């Protein structure tokens, strides 16, 4: 296991490695983004991919929540969709609509248009950003690298846009399972090289986002998601700690723990005690505050965050939201979330 000896705050890394810490670490999924006025300013000047592909901009945005909100970890500013783009697909981000992939994968011919790229050629801008961020962080907090899980990326690559059900992506898997598995394996191979590149560039921890894992039954989650996540975790978990966040897929927590992850993200639909029973004692749990609850008045946020910390108990817990922070959250409310965790003492 590689560890950056220059880290002044290593609460996240130690928690993931099962070591005791003075307090619970805290960060927020999607913490670099639209609820921060400083981010919105940059967004007005540069397109989404300009922000992702310019290391100085990605670095500045990554550091914003560390400086402004005081989280215990930075997460690389990028997007899970840079991987489909590197594999040869056109990816656009449209205001208010979200991602658009105008030529989605439906047939063997479509699959032949994409490839497993050389990540050092196609995604070098991410590795350059990570090197710059590590330098600028100067050990203040660890840096989390990330990638989308193959299933969640397939959802966008086949559906071509966001969806509540991803019915076309699911239909593709059920109608053309062989093609689906070829695509999932190509994404997996790209992702392994991509995460290894992030780690080589300096990422201290990596997280795999399976935002749409909960759309599958437990059996189909194993077939179309978990077997690929397992390959990714096995390829990197001796280098740095790995967190799997598979939203809604709580019934597979035992299998995800057995896959060799150091941390498992959970959403607010499962109680901490139940998640602990399912996941066992050898893994840290991350979560699980309802992001919309950050709209509550600050005293309510403080009270509910304390209840959450108490429910998880001391140790083996990383305080976080159960999904990404919403754009309409006041910065003061995000700060209240973080500060309540930092100030909490277990009796
Ligand atoms: C499914 C998914 C995507 N991207 C991501 C996921 C998995 C996590 C999740 O479920 O929320 C992951 C992601 N996207 C972004 C980050 C940055 C780092 C961080 O967490 O702070 C991370 C970790 C930046 C972003 N990615 C995107 C934005 C907003 C675009 C903008 O600010 O111009 C940001 C800050 C665009 C994006 N990218 C994606 C969507 C659906 C959208 C549009 C809607 C939305 O914003 O949530 C795909």
């Amino acid at each position: 296991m590689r560890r950056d000896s220059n880290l002044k705050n290593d609460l996240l890394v130690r928690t993931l490695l099962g070591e005791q810490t003075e307090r619970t670490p805290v960060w927020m999924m999607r913490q670099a983004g639209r609820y921060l006025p400083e981010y919105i300013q940059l967004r007005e000047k540069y397109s989404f991919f300009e922000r992702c592909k310019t290391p100085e901009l990605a670095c500045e945005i990554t550091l914003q929540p560390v400086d402004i909100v005081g989280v215990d970890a930075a997460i690389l500013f990028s997007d899970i969709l840079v991987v489909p783009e590197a594999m040869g697909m056109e990816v656009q981000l449209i205001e208010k609509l979200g991602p658009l992939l105008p030529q989605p994968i439906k047939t063997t011919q479509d699959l032949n248009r994409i490839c497993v790229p050389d990540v050092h050629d196609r995604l070098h801008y991410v590795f350059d950003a990570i090197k710059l961020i590590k330098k600028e962080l100067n050990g203040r907090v660890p840096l989390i690298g990330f990638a989308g899980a193959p299933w969640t990326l397939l959802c966008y690559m086949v559906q071509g846009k966001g969806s509540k059900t991803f019915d076309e992506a699911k239909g593709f898997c059920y109608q053309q399972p062989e093609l689906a598995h070829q695509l999932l394996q190509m994404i997996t191979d790209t992702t392994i090289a991509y995460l290894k590149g992030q780690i080589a560039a300096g990422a201290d921890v990596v997280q795999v986002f399976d935002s749409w894992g909960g759309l599958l039954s437990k059996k189909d989650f194993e077939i179309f998601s978990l077997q690929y996540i397992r390959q990714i975790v096995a390829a990197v978990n001796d280098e740095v700690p790995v967190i799997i966040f598979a939203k809604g897929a709580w019934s597979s927590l035992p299998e995800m723990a057995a896959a060799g992850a150091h941390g498992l993200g959970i959403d607010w639909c499962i109680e901490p005690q139940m998640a602990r029973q399912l996941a066992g004692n050898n893994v840290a749990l991350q979560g699980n505050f309802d992001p919309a609850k950050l709209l509550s008045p600050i005293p309510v946020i403080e009270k509910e965050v304390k209840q959450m910390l108490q429910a998880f108990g001391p140790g083996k817990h990383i305080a976080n939201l159960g999904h990404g922070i919403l754009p309409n959250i006041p910065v003061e409310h995000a700060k209240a979330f973080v500060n309540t965790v930092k100030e909490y003492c277990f009796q």
Side-chain angles (χ1 to χ4, degrees), residues 12 27-33 35 58-66 71-80 130 133 137 141-147 198 203 205-209 243 286 320:
L12 174 77
W27 68 281
M28 294 179 296
M29 288 191 280
R30 307 292 295 271
Q31 65 190 17
Y35 71 106
C59 177
E60 184 176 344
I61 299 170
T62 300
L63 296 198
Q64 283 174 351
V66 178
V71 284
D72 291 314
I75 179 162
L76 166 72
F77 179 78
S78 185
D79 196 81
I80 62 168
I130 289 177
I133 295 163
L137 275 173
V141 291
L143 175 64
I144 304 170
F146 71 89
Q198 292 189 25
V205 167
V206 294
Q207 174 158 323
V208 178
F209 284 92
I243 304 168
Q286 174 173 279
N320 204 317

Side-chain angles (χ1 to χ4, degrees), residues 33-44 51 60-61 64-65 67-69 331 335:
R34 294 157 300 171
Y35 71 106
L36 289 174
E38 292 80 355
Y39 174 81
I40 293 170
Q41 270 179 17
L42 284 175
R43 186 186 173 188
E44 279 158 10
R51 278 171 272 148
E60 184 176 344
I61 299 170
Q64 283 174 351
D67 293 333
I68 300 165
V69 192
V331 179
K335 285 187 192 167

